[in-house]
Amino acid sequence: MDLGLRGKTALVCAASRGLGRGCAEALAAEGVKLVIAARREALLEEAAREIRARFGVEVIPVACDITAAEGRALALAACPQPDILVTNAGGPPAGDFRNFSQADWHRALDANMLTPVELIKATIDGMIGRGFGRIINITSAAVKMPIGILGLSNGARAGLTGFVAGLAREVAPHGVTINNLLPGMFDTDRLAFLTQAQATAASLRVDEITARQLAGIPAGRFGRAGEFGAACAFLCSAHAGYITGQNLLIDGGAYPGVF
Ligand code: NAD
């Protein structure tokens, strides 16, 4: 299926590795010009080179911390008028909420709620003016199925989800859609980090935690970044203009509810 995205421009945040990289590659495969942002310059440059070589599209890397105002300014200077915005940043640390300070909460809210809000604020009016826009926020399955040790993530992402639910309806008449993608367990560095944290907290081995995690996934495996990216690209496509304000779980069937 031609997704109708050839020649469009996307700003994809936190895209040197993992789920952001999966989204960047899937959009590149559709002929989308990319600006990709991530913190570590060498890794990001390498990602840009690989994506260019594989898909033959323009890829501009911007090394920055997207959760900082200066970082966002750099990314937006390179891509002031994206047709597609994919917001993403590293997830907050896991732990017992009794040990989280106010500074920890502010960092989590900045990274996983206020950064997407600021990026949307900077780009949405241009999308409205052009009559086309696609905004995808990478959130978490924890929005529907909160995980105890991820209190910072549960809280911050719930805030973003509420905000987006209202805004999506407001901009829908202008051809702009906003949807959230909720990853379950994907085989990325972030999952390895959380698995290690859980193993330490439970005094178990990493492979024991992995076996428990897999037992809770009907698909019997972790997700792949490419699968995640494909869902992102479809929601950004010309065919998805009537899908907005949604929270799409991609979790191999792990969430047990009907809706
Ligand atoms: P990852 O650790 O594999 O990759 C994170 C990417 O983000 C890297 O490219 C890194 O350079 C970049 N990054 C991190 N912080 C940044 C910042 N401040 N500014 C710019 N770039 C930054 O992580 P992932 O698995 O791809 O996860 C992406 C998001 O999805 C995270 O918020 C994570 O919490 C969430 N999530 C992941 C899973 C999973 O199973 N992988 C599950 C639920 C939620």
Side-chain angles (χ1 to χ4, degrees), residues 13-20 37-40 64-67 88-92 112 138-142 153 157 183-191 194:
C13 304
S16 65
R17 291 175 301 144
L19 304 179
R39 283 171 306 183
R40 284 181 286 173
C64 66
D65 178 351
I66 203 70
T67 67
N88 185 26
N112 301 112
I138 300 181
T139 66
S140 173
S153 173
R157 297 190 201 275
M185 288 189 182
F186 278 76
D187 195 5
T188 66
D189 292 354
R190 167 75 176 169
L191 182 63
L194 288 178

PDB file of all heavy atoms in Angstrom, residues 13-20 37-40 64-67 88-92 112 138-142 153 157 183-191 194, ligand 1:
ATOM      1  N   CYS A  13      11.727  12.352  17.237  1.00  0.00           N
ATOM      2  CA  CYS A  13      12.563  12.588  18.418  1.00  0.00           C
ATOM      3  C   CYS A  13      13.063  11.269  18.997  1.00  0.00           C
ATOM      4  O   CYS A  13      12.396  10.236  18.901  1.00  0.00           O
ATOM      5  CB  CYS A  13      11.754  13.328  19.476  1.00  0.00           C
ATOM      6  SG  CYS A  13      11.065  14.870  18.870  1.00  0.00           S
ATOM      7  N   ALA A  14      14.230  11.340  19.630  1.00  0.00           N
ATOM      8  CA  ALA A  14      14.843  10.171  20.284  1.00  0.00           C
ATOM      9  C   ALA A  14      14.900   9.003  19.304  1.00  0.00           C
ATOM     10  O   ALA A  14      14.352   7.924  19.548  1.00  0.00           O
ATOM     11  CB  ALA A  14      14.051   9.810  21.555  1.00  0.00           C
ATOM     12  N   ALA A  15      15.576   9.250  18.186  1.00  0.00           N
ATOM     13  CA  ALA A  15      15.444   8.329  17.042  1.00  0.00           C
ATOM     14  C   ALA A  15      16.741   7.623  16.653  1.00  0.00           C
ATOM     15  O   ALA A  15      16.805   7.017  15.599  1.00  0.00           O
ATOM     16  CB  ALA A  15      14.897   9.094  15.838  1.00  0.00           C
ATOM     17  N   SER A  16      17.770   7.675  17.502  1.00  0.00           N
ATOM     18  CA  SER A  16      19.008   6.984  17.095  1.00  0.00           C
ATOM     19  C   SER A  16      18.880   5.483  17.309  1.00  0.00           C
ATOM     20  O   SER A  16      19.535   4.697  16.639  1.00  0.00           O
ATOM     21  CB  SER A  16      20.222   7.534  17.842  1.00  0.00           C
ATOM     22  OG  SER A  16      20.134   7.260  19.220  1.00  0.00           O
ATOM     23  N   ARG A  17      18.031   5.070  18.269  1.00  0.00           N
ATOM     24  CA  ARG A  17      17.882   3.646  18.590  1.00  0.00           C
ATOM     25  C   ARG A  17      16.414   3.371  18.920  1.00  0.00           C
ATOM     26  O   ARG A  17      15.597   4.272  19.025  1.00  0.00           O
ATOM     27  CB  ARG A  17      18.714   3.294  19.830  1.00  0.00           C
ATOM     28  CG  ARG A  17      20.205   3.352  19.607  1.00  0.00           C
ATOM     29  CD  ARG A  17      20.925   3.111  20.911  1.00  0.00           C
ATOM     30  NE  ARG A  17      20.541   4.096  21.904  1.00  0.00           N
ATOM     31  CZ  ARG A  17      20.399   3.869  23.201  1.00  0.00           C
ATOM     32  NH1 ARG A  17      20.620   2.685  23.686  1.00  0.00           N
ATOM     33  NH2 ARG A  17      20.046   4.835  24.023  1.00  0.00           N
ATOM     34  N   GLY A  18      16.110   2.112  19.124  1.00  0.00           N
ATOM     35  CA  GLY A  18      14.842   1.704  19.703  1.00  0.00           C
ATOM     36  C   GLY A  18      13.618   2.076  18.883  1.00  0.00           C
ATOM     37  O   GLY A  18      13.630   2.058  17.645  1.00  0.00           O
ATOM     38  N   LEU A  19      12.554   2.445  19.589  1.00  0.00           N
ATOM     39  CA  LEU A  19      11.251   2.658  18.946  1.00  0.00           C
ATOM     40  C   LEU A  19      11.260   3.900  18.051  1.00  0.00           C
ATOM     41  O   LEU A  19      10.641   3.905  16.979  1.00  0.00           O
ATOM     42  CB  LEU A  19      10.163   2.772  20.012  1.00  0.00           C
ATOM     43  CG  LEU A  19      10.080   1.570  20.971  1.00  0.00           C
ATOM     44  CD1 LEU A  19       8.974   1.785  22.011  1.00  0.00           C
ATOM     45  CD2 LEU A  19       9.834   0.282  20.192  1.00  0.00           C
ATOM     46  N   GLY A  20      11.953   4.951  18.487  1.00  0.00           N
ATOM     47  CA  GLY A  20      12.049   6.155  17.654  1.00  0.00           C
ATOM     48  C   GLY A  20      12.746   5.833  16.333  1.00  0.00           C
ATOM     49  O   GLY A  20      12.319   6.280  15.259  1.00  0.00           O
ATOM     50  N   ALA A  37      16.405  13.434  16.035  1.00  0.00           N
ATOM     51  CA  ALA A  37      17.085  14.012  17.195  1.00  0.00           C
ATOM     52  C   ALA A  37      17.403  12.924  18.203  1.00  0.00           C
ATOM     53  O   ALA A  37      16.623  11.987  18.382  1.00  0.00           O
ATOM     54  CB  ALA A  37      16.185  15.073  17.837  1.00  0.00           C
ATOM     55  N   ALA A  38      18.559  13.021  18.813  1.00  0.00           N
ATOM     56  CA  ALA A  38      18.923  12.167  19.954  1.00  0.00           C
ATOM     57  C   ALA A  38      20.146  12.807  20.596  1.00  0.00           C
ATOM     58  O   ALA A  38      20.736  13.745  20.038  1.00  0.00           O
ATOM     59  CB  ALA A  38      19.218  10.731  19.520  1.00  0.00           C
ATOM     60  N   ARG A  39      20.514  12.310  21.770  1.00  0.00           N
ATOM     61  CA  ARG A  39      21.552  13.009  22.525  1.00  0.00           C
ATOM     62  C   ARG A  39      22.974  12.729  22.056  1.00  0.00           C
ATOM     63  O   ARG A  39      23.800  13.613  21.995  1.00  0.00           O
ATOM     64  CB  ARG A  39      21.441  12.657  24.018  1.00  0.00           C
ATOM     65  CG  ARG A  39      20.324  13.383  24.708  1.00  0.00           C
ATOM     66  CD  ARG A  39      20.120  12.845  26.074  1.00  0.00           C
ATOM     67  NE  ARG A  39      19.917  11.388  26.026  1.00  0.00           N
ATOM     68  CZ  ARG A  39      19.647  10.625  27.064  1.00  0.00           C
ATOM     69  NH1 ARG A  39      19.545  11.174  28.241  1.00  0.00           N
ATOM     70  NH2 ARG A  39      19.466   9.336  26.928  1.00  0.00           N
ATOM     71  N   ARG A  40      23.253  11.473  21.746  1.00  0.00           N
ATOM     72  CA  ARG A  40      24.660  11.106  21.478  1.00  0.00           C
ATOM     73  C   ARG A  40      25.003  11.264  20.002  1.00  0.00           C
ATOM     74  O   ARG A  40      24.479  10.526  19.156  1.00  0.00           O
ATOM     75  CB  ARG A  40      24.922   9.703  21.982  1.00  0.00           C
ATOM     76  CG  ARG A  40      25.046   9.720  23.505  1.00  0.00           C
ATOM     77  CD  ARG A  40      25.327   8.384  24.069  1.00  0.00           C
ATOM     78  NE  ARG A  40      24.158   7.534  24.028  1.00  0.00           N
ATOM     79  CZ  ARG A  40      24.168   6.238  24.348  1.00  0.00           C
ATOM     80  NH1 ARG A  40      25.289   5.653  24.698  1.00  0.00           N
ATOM     81  NH2 ARG A  40      23.060   5.542  24.310  1.00  0.00           N
ATOM     82  N   CYS A  64      20.912  16.588  20.363  1.00  0.00           N
ATOM     83  CA  CYS A  64      20.383  17.477  21.401  1.00  0.00           C
ATOM     84  C   CYS A  64      19.614  16.674  22.443  1.00  0.00           C
ATOM     85  O   CYS A  64      19.226  15.534  22.201  1.00  0.00           O
ATOM     86  CB  CYS A  64      19.439  18.509  20.773  1.00  0.00           C
ATOM     87  SG  CYS A  64      17.931  17.796  20.085  1.00  0.00           S
ATOM     88  N   ASP A  65      19.421  17.313  23.584  1.00  0.00           N
ATOM     89  CA  ASP A  65      18.530  16.761  24.609  1.00  0.00           C
ATOM     90  C   ASP A  65      17.152  17.367  24.348  1.00  0.00           C
ATOM     91  O   ASP A  65      16.941  18.555  24.591  1.00  0.00           O
ATOM     92  CB  ASP A  65      19.051  17.146  25.996  1.00  0.00           C
ATOM     93  CG  ASP A  65      18.120  16.641  27.095  1.00  0.00           C
ATOM     94  OD1 ASP A  65      17.008  16.158  26.787  1.00  0.00           O
ATOM     95  OD2 ASP A  65      18.513  16.749  28.276  1.00  0.00           O
ATOM     96  N   ILE A  66      16.252  16.553  23.846  1.00  0.00           N
ATOM     97  CA  ILE A  66      14.944  17.063  23.422  1.00  0.00           C
ATOM     98  C   ILE A  66      14.094  17.504  24.619  1.00  0.00           C
ATOM     99  O   ILE A  66      13.118  18.243  24.457  1.00  0.00           O
ATOM    100  CB  ILE A  66      14.194  15.997  22.559  1.00  0.00           C
ATOM    101  CG1 ILE A  66      13.140  16.633  21.651  1.00  0.00           C
ATOM    102  CG2 ILE A  66      13.575  14.903  23.419  1.00  0.00           C
ATOM    103  CD1 ILE A  66      13.655  17.448  20.522  1.00  0.00           C
ATOM    104  N   THR A  67      14.490  17.095  25.835  1.00  0.00           N
ATOM    105  CA  THR A  67      13.719  17.485  27.018  1.00  0.00           C
ATOM    106  C   THR A  67      14.119  18.870  27.538  1.00  0.00           C
ATOM    107  O   THR A  67      13.519  19.381  28.474  1.00  0.00           O
ATOM    108  CB  THR A  67      13.873  16.449  28.147  1.00  0.00           C
ATOM    109  OG1 THR A  67      15.233  16.478  28.614  1.00  0.00           O
ATOM    110  CG2 THR A  67      13.526  15.053  27.674  1.00  0.00           C
ATOM    111  N   ASN A  88       9.078  11.617  21.439  1.00  0.00           N
ATOM    112  CA  ASN A  88       9.645  10.470  22.135  1.00  0.00           C
ATOM    113  C   ASN A  88      10.813  10.983  22.958  1.00  0.00           C
ATOM    114  O   ASN A  88      11.456  11.966  22.601  1.00  0.00           O
ATOM    115  CB  ASN A  88      10.140   9.449  21.091  1.00  0.00           C
ATOM    116  CG  ASN A  88      10.638   8.160  21.696  1.00  0.00           C
ATOM    117  OD1 ASN A  88      10.223   7.760  22.793  1.00  0.00           O
ATOM    118  ND2 ASN A  88      11.531   7.483  20.989  1.00  0.00           N
ATOM    119  N   ALA A  89      11.054  10.329  24.081  1.00  0.00           N
ATOM    120  CA  ALA A  89      12.241  10.613  24.897  1.00  0.00           C
ATOM    121  C   ALA A  89      12.453   9.394  25.768  1.00  0.00           C
ATOM    122  O   ALA A  89      11.574   8.539  25.864  1.00  0.00           O
ATOM    123  CB  ALA A  89      12.019  11.856  25.760  1.00  0.00           C
ATOM    124  N   GLY A  90      13.597   9.305  26.386  1.00  0.00           N
ATOM    125  CA  GLY A  90      13.842   8.177  27.276  1.00  0.00           C
ATOM    126  C   GLY A  90      12.793   8.144  28.381  1.00  0.00           C
ATOM    127  O   GLY A  90      12.245   9.176  28.768  1.00  0.00           O
ATOM    128  N   GLY A  91      12.507   6.945  28.865  1.00  0.00           N
ATOM    129  CA  GLY A  91      11.541   6.807  29.968  1.00  0.00           C
ATOM    130  C   GLY A  91      12.199   7.134  31.296  1.00  0.00           C
ATOM    131  O   GLY A  91      13.417   7.059  31.427  1.00  0.00           O
ATOM    132  N   PRO A  92      11.392   7.516  32.301  1.00  0.00           N
ATOM    133  CA  PRO A  92      11.953   7.842  33.616  1.00  0.00           C
ATOM    134  C   PRO A  92      12.438   6.585  34.341  1.00  0.00           C
ATOM    135  O   PRO A  92      12.066   5.474  33.972  1.00  0.00           O
ATOM    136  CB  PRO A  92      10.769   8.470  34.354  1.00  0.00           C
ATOM    137  CG  PRO A  92       9.560   8.182  33.579  1.00  0.00           C
ATOM    138  CD  PRO A  92       9.946   7.664  32.233  1.00  0.00           C
ATOM    139  N   ASN A 112       8.364  13.437  29.670  1.00  0.00           N
ATOM    140  CA  ASN A 112       7.319  12.574  29.111  1.00  0.00           C
ATOM    141  C   ASN A 112       5.938  13.215  29.034  1.00  0.00           C
ATOM    142  O   ASN A 112       4.993  12.589  28.573  1.00  0.00           O
ATOM    143  CB  ASN A 112       7.256  11.256  29.891  1.00  0.00           C
ATOM    144  CG  ASN A 112       8.580  10.512  29.845  1.00  0.00           C
ATOM    145  OD1 ASN A 112       9.270  10.380  30.841  1.00  0.00           O
ATOM    146  ND2 ASN A 112       8.967  10.072  28.661  1.00  0.00           N
ATOM    147  N   ILE A 138       4.891   8.692  21.396  1.00  0.00           N
ATOM    148  CA  ILE A 138       5.235   7.362  21.912  1.00  0.00           C
ATOM    149  C   ILE A 138       5.073   7.434  23.422  1.00  0.00           C
ATOM    150  O   ILE A 138       5.784   8.184  24.101  1.00  0.00           O
ATOM    151  CB  ILE A 138       6.673   6.956  21.519  1.00  0.00           C
ATOM    152  CG1 ILE A 138       6.814   6.926  19.991  1.00  0.00           C
ATOM    153  CG2 ILE A 138       7.022   5.597  22.128  1.00  0.00           C
ATOM    154  CD1 ILE A 138       8.192   6.520  19.477  1.00  0.00           C
ATOM    155  N   THR A 139       4.083   6.708  23.939  1.00  0.00           N
ATOM    156  CA  THR A 139       3.853   6.744  25.396  1.00  0.00           C
ATOM    157  C   THR A 139       4.204   5.369  25.961  1.00  0.00           C
ATOM    158  O   THR A 139       5.339   4.933  25.857  1.00  0.00           O
ATOM    159  CB  THR A 139       2.427   7.231  25.732  1.00  0.00           C
ATOM    160  OG1 THR A 139       1.441   6.301  25.292  1.00  0.00           O
ATOM    161  CG2 THR A 139       2.153   8.591  25.132  1.00  0.00           C
ATOM    162  N   SER A 140       3.227   4.649  26.493  1.00  0.00           N
ATOM    163  CA  SER A 140       3.547   3.342  27.093  1.00  0.00           C
ATOM    164  C   SER A 140       2.266   2.571  27.366  1.00  0.00           C
ATOM    165  O   SER A 140       1.218   3.163  27.658  1.00  0.00           O
ATOM    166  CB  SER A 140       4.282   3.553  28.418  1.00  0.00           C
ATOM    167  OG  SER A 140       4.459   2.319  29.072  1.00  0.00           O
ATOM    168  N   ALA A 141       2.387   1.250  27.344  1.00  0.00           N
ATOM    169  CA  ALA A 141       1.260   0.405  27.762  1.00  0.00           C
ATOM    170  C   ALA A 141       0.879   0.718  29.213  1.00  0.00           C
ATOM    171  O   ALA A 141      -0.249   0.462  29.638  1.00  0.00           O
ATOM    172  CB  ALA A 141       1.641  -1.070  27.626  1.00  0.00           C
ATOM    173  N   ALA A 142       1.832   1.301  29.956  1.00  0.00           N
ATOM    174  CA  ALA A 142       1.575   1.649  31.359  1.00  0.00           C
ATOM    175  C   ALA A 142       0.439   2.665  31.494  1.00  0.00           C
ATOM    176  O   ALA A 142      -0.145   2.810  32.567  1.00  0.00           O
ATOM    177  CB  ALA A 142       2.840   2.192  32.008  1.00  0.00           C
ATOM    178  N   SER A 153       6.566   7.221  35.282  1.00  0.00           N
ATOM    179  CA  SER A 153       6.074   7.072  33.912  1.00  0.00           C
ATOM    180  C   SER A 153       4.550   7.063  33.890  1.00  0.00           C
ATOM    181  O   SER A 153       3.915   7.769  33.093  1.00  0.00           O
ATOM    182  CB  SER A 153       6.634   5.764  33.318  1.00  0.00           C
ATOM    183  OG  SER A 153       6.068   5.501  32.064  1.00  0.00           O
ATOM    184  N   ARG A 157       2.829  10.191  31.838  1.00  0.00           N
ATOM    185  CA  ARG A 157       2.204   9.835  30.553  1.00  0.00           C
ATOM    186  C   ARG A 157       0.681   9.959  30.624  1.00  0.00           C
ATOM    187  O   ARG A 157       0.039  10.254  29.612  1.00  0.00           O
ATOM    188  CB  ARG A 157       2.628   8.433  30.155  1.00  0.00           C
ATOM    189  CG  ARG A 157       4.148   8.323  29.917  1.00  0.00           C
ATOM    190  CD  ARG A 157       4.478   7.005  29.310  1.00  0.00           C
ATOM    191  NE  ARG A 157       5.835   6.554  29.450  1.00  0.00           N
ATOM    192  CZ  ARG A 157       6.843   6.884  28.643  1.00  0.00           C
ATOM    193  NH1 ARG A 157       6.648   7.730  27.665  1.00  0.00           N
ATOM    194  NH2 ARG A 157       8.047   6.381  28.826  1.00  0.00           N
ATOM    195  N   PRO A 183       3.569   1.275  23.540  1.00  0.00           N
ATOM    196  CA  PRO A 183       4.322   0.023  23.441  1.00  0.00           C
ATOM    197  C   PRO A 183       4.160  -0.839  24.686  1.00  0.00           C
ATOM    198  O   PRO A 183       4.188  -0.330  25.810  1.00  0.00           O
ATOM    199  CB  PRO A 183       5.776   0.504  23.299  1.00  0.00           C
ATOM    200  CG  PRO A 183       5.803   1.879  23.863  1.00  0.00           C
ATOM    201  CD  PRO A 183       4.437   2.457  23.672  1.00  0.00           C
ATOM    202  N   GLY A 184       3.988  -2.140  24.459  1.00  0.00           N
ATOM    203  CA  GLY A 184       4.124  -3.105  25.553  1.00  0.00           C
ATOM    204  C   GLY A 184       5.610  -3.376  25.689  1.00  0.00           C
ATOM    205  O   GLY A 184       6.398  -2.444  25.825  1.00  0.00           O
ATOM    206  N   MET A 185       6.004  -4.632  25.601  1.00  0.00           N
ATOM    207  CA  MET A 185       7.433  -4.938  25.772  1.00  0.00           C
ATOM    208  C   MET A 185       8.104  -5.129  24.428  1.00  0.00           C
ATOM    209  O   MET A 185       7.793  -6.067  23.695  1.00  0.00           O
ATOM    210  CB  MET A 185       7.597  -6.181  26.621  1.00  0.00           C
ATOM    211  CG  MET A 185       7.244  -5.896  28.054  1.00  0.00           C
ATOM    212  SD  MET A 185       7.661  -7.255  29.115  1.00  0.00           S
ATOM    213  CE  MET A 185       7.074  -6.596  30.661  1.00  0.00           C
ATOM    214  N   PHE A 186       9.014  -4.227  24.115  1.00  0.00           N
ATOM    215  CA  PHE A 186       9.774  -4.275  22.865  1.00  0.00           C
ATOM    216  C   PHE A 186      11.244  -4.518  23.175  1.00  0.00           C
ATOM    217  O   PHE A 186      11.758  -4.019  24.178  1.00  0.00           O
ATOM    218  CB  PHE A 186       9.608  -2.964  22.078  1.00  0.00           C
ATOM    219  CG  PHE A 186       8.343  -2.940  21.280  1.00  0.00           C
ATOM    220  CD1 PHE A 186       7.128  -2.727  21.897  1.00  0.00           C
ATOM    221  CD2 PHE A 186       8.368  -3.184  19.918  1.00  0.00           C
ATOM    222  CE1 PHE A 186       5.943  -2.738  21.170  1.00  0.00           C
ATOM    223  CE2 PHE A 186       7.197  -3.201  19.181  1.00  0.00           C
ATOM    224  CZ  PHE A 186       5.977  -2.984  19.800  1.00  0.00           C
ATOM    225  N   ASP A 187      11.864  -5.265  22.282  1.00  0.00           N
ATOM    226  CA  ASP A 187      13.245  -5.668  22.491  1.00  0.00           C
ATOM    227  C   ASP A 187      14.188  -4.506  22.195  1.00  0.00           C
ATOM    228  O   ASP A 187      14.747  -4.404  21.108  1.00  0.00           O
ATOM    229  CB  ASP A 187      13.534  -6.854  21.553  1.00  0.00           C
ATOM    230  CG  ASP A 187      14.797  -7.557  21.953  1.00  0.00           C
ATOM    231  OD1 ASP A 187      15.376  -7.178  22.991  1.00  0.00           O
ATOM    232  OD2 ASP A 187      15.200  -8.479  21.231  1.00  0.00           O
ATOM    233  N   THR A 188      14.325  -3.601  23.160  1.00  0.00           N
ATOM    234  CA  THR A 188      15.205  -2.431  22.996  1.00  0.00           C
ATOM    235  C   THR A 188      16.083  -2.298  24.242  1.00  0.00           C
ATOM    236  O   THR A 188      15.897  -3.018  25.225  1.00  0.00           O
ATOM    237  CB  THR A 188      14.386  -1.131  22.860  1.00  0.00           C
ATOM    238  OG1 THR A 188      13.714  -0.904  24.105  1.00  0.00           O
ATOM    239  CG2 THR A 188      13.362  -1.198  21.738  1.00  0.00           C
ATOM    240  N   ASP A 189      16.985  -1.328  24.214  1.00  0.00           N
ATOM    241  CA  ASP A 189      17.854  -1.088  25.378  1.00  0.00           C
ATOM    242  C   ASP A 189      17.028  -0.736  26.613  1.00  0.00           C
ATOM    243  O   ASP A 189      17.389  -1.073  27.736  1.00  0.00           O
ATOM    244  CB  ASP A 189      18.811   0.078  25.079  1.00  0.00           C
ATOM    245  CG  ASP A 189      19.811  -0.296  24.002  1.00  0.00           C
ATOM    246  OD1 ASP A 189      19.832  -1.470  23.580  1.00  0.00           O
ATOM    247  OD2 ASP A 189      20.562   0.603  23.570  1.00  0.00           O
ATOM    248  N   ARG A 190      15.927  -0.030  26.402  1.00  0.00           N
ATOM    249  CA  ARG A 190      15.074   0.366  27.520  1.00  0.00           C
ATOM    250  C   ARG A 190      14.528  -0.870  28.239  1.00  0.00           C
ATOM    251  O   ARG A 190      14.493  -0.920  29.470  1.00  0.00           O
ATOM    252  CB  ARG A 190      13.914   1.226  26.987  1.00  0.00           C
ATOM    253  CG  ARG A 190      12.757   1.480  27.941  1.00  0.00           C
ATOM    254  CD  ARG A 190      13.088   2.489  29.009  1.00  0.00           C
ATOM    255  NE  ARG A 190      11.953   2.790  29.867  1.00  0.00           N
ATOM    256  CZ  ARG A 190      12.033   3.476  30.993  1.00  0.00           C
ATOM    257  NH1 ARG A 190      13.180   3.934  31.409  1.00  0.00           N
ATOM    258  NH2 ARG A 190      10.968   3.723  31.724  1.00  0.00           N
ATOM    259  N   LEU A 191      14.110  -1.875  27.482  1.00  0.00           N
ATOM    260  CA  LEU A 191      13.584  -3.096  28.098  1.00  0.00           C
ATOM    261  C   LEU A 191      14.695  -3.796  28.890  1.00  0.00           C
ATOM    262  O   LEU A 191      14.471  -4.265  30.013  1.00  0.00           O
ATOM    263  CB  LEU A 191      13.009  -4.040  27.035  1.00  0.00           C
ATOM    264  CG  LEU A 191      12.390  -5.323  27.596  1.00  0.00           C
ATOM    265  CD1 LEU A 191      11.197  -5.023  28.498  1.00  0.00           C
ATOM    266  CD2 LEU A 191      11.960  -6.267  26.486  1.00  0.00           C
ATOM    267  N   LEU A 194      15.078  -1.991  32.178  1.00  0.00           N
ATOM    268  CA  LEU A 194      14.002  -2.246  33.133  1.00  0.00           C
ATOM    269  C   LEU A 194      14.064  -3.669  33.675  1.00  0.00           C
ATOM    270  O   LEU A 194      13.778  -3.913  34.850  1.00  0.00           O
ATOM    271  CB  LEU A 194      12.636  -2.008  32.471  1.00  0.00           C
ATOM    272  CG  LEU A 194      12.285  -0.549  32.212  1.00  0.00           C
ATOM    273  CD1 LEU A 194      10.939  -0.440  31.506  1.00  0.00           C
ATOM    274  CD2 LEU A 194      12.240   0.239  33.522  1.00  0.00           C
TER     275      LEU A 194
HETATM  276  P1  NAD B   1      15.760   3.107  23.997  1.00  0.00           P
HETATM  277  O1  NAD B   1      16.484   3.317  25.279  1.00  0.00           O
HETATM  278  O2  NAD B   1      16.019   1.869  23.237  1.00  0.00           O
HETATM  279  O3  NAD B   1      16.026   4.325  22.982  1.00  0.00           O
HETATM  280  C1  NAD B   1      15.841   5.611  23.435  1.00  0.00           C
HETATM  281  C2  NAD B   1      16.247   6.610  22.365  1.00  0.00           C
HETATM  282  O4  NAD B   1      15.938   7.875  22.894  1.00  0.00           O
HETATM  283  C3  NAD B   1      17.722   6.645  22.035  1.00  0.00           C
HETATM  284  O5  NAD B   1      17.869   6.982  20.679  1.00  0.00           O
HETATM  285  C4  NAD B   1      18.232   7.808  22.911  1.00  0.00           C
HETATM  286  O6  NAD B   1      19.384   8.418  22.380  1.00  0.00           O
HETATM  287  C5  NAD B   1      17.057   8.733  22.825  1.00  0.00           C
HETATM  288  N1  NAD B   1      16.886   9.649  23.941  1.00  0.00           N
HETATM  289  C6  NAD B   1      16.680   9.331  25.235  1.00  0.00           C
HETATM  290  N2  NAD B   1      16.524  10.452  25.946  1.00  0.00           N
HETATM  291  C7  NAD B   1      16.617  11.491  25.082  1.00  0.00           C
HETATM  292  C8  NAD B   1      16.567  12.900  25.227  1.00  0.00           C
HETATM  293  N3  NAD B   1      16.403  13.465  26.426  1.00  0.00           N
HETATM  294  N4  NAD B   1      16.717  13.672  24.127  1.00  0.00           N
HETATM  295  C9  NAD B   1      16.918  13.116  22.926  1.00  0.00           C
HETATM  296  N5  NAD B   1      16.980  11.789  22.727  1.00  0.00           N
HETATM  297  C10 NAD B   1      16.842  10.985  23.798  1.00  0.00           C
HETATM  298  O7  NAD B   1      14.224   3.246  24.401  1.00  0.00           O
HETATM  299  P2  NAD B   1      12.924   2.666  23.654  1.00  0.00           P
HETATM  300  O8  NAD B   1      12.690   1.272  24.120  1.00  0.00           O
HETATM  301  O9  NAD B   1      12.988   2.962  22.233  1.00  0.00           O
HETATM  302  O10 NAD B   1      11.785   3.540  24.353  1.00  0.00           O
HETATM  303  C11 NAD B   1      11.280   4.738  23.798  1.00  0.00           C
HETATM  304  C12 NAD B   1      10.182   5.237  24.717  1.00  0.00           C
HETATM  305  O11 NAD B   1       9.160   4.230  24.815  1.00  0.00           O
HETATM  306  C13 NAD B   1      10.668   5.503  26.149  1.00  0.00           C
HETATM  307  O12 NAD B   1      10.013   6.627  26.662  1.00  0.00           O
HETATM  308  C14 NAD B   1      10.232   4.249  26.888  1.00  0.00           C
HETATM  309  O13 NAD B   1      10.032   4.478  28.250  1.00  0.00           O
HETATM  310  C15 NAD B   1       8.927   3.921  26.162  1.00  0.00           C
HETATM  311  N6  NAD B   1       8.555   2.519  26.328  1.00  0.00           N
HETATM  312  C16 NAD B   1       9.358   1.525  25.861  1.00  0.00           C
HETATM  313  C17 NAD B   1       8.978   0.203  26.062  1.00  0.00           C
HETATM  314  C18 NAD B   1       9.835  -0.956  25.579  1.00  0.00           C
HETATM  315  O14 NAD B   1       9.494  -2.112  25.836  1.00  0.00           O
HETATM  316  N7  NAD B   1      10.902  -0.730  24.879  1.00  0.00           N
HETATM  317  C19 NAD B   1       7.788  -0.106  26.728  1.00  0.00           C
HETATM  318  C20 NAD B   1       6.990   0.932  27.177  1.00  0.00           C
HETATM  319  C21 NAD B   1       7.392   2.250  26.979  1.00  0.00           C
END
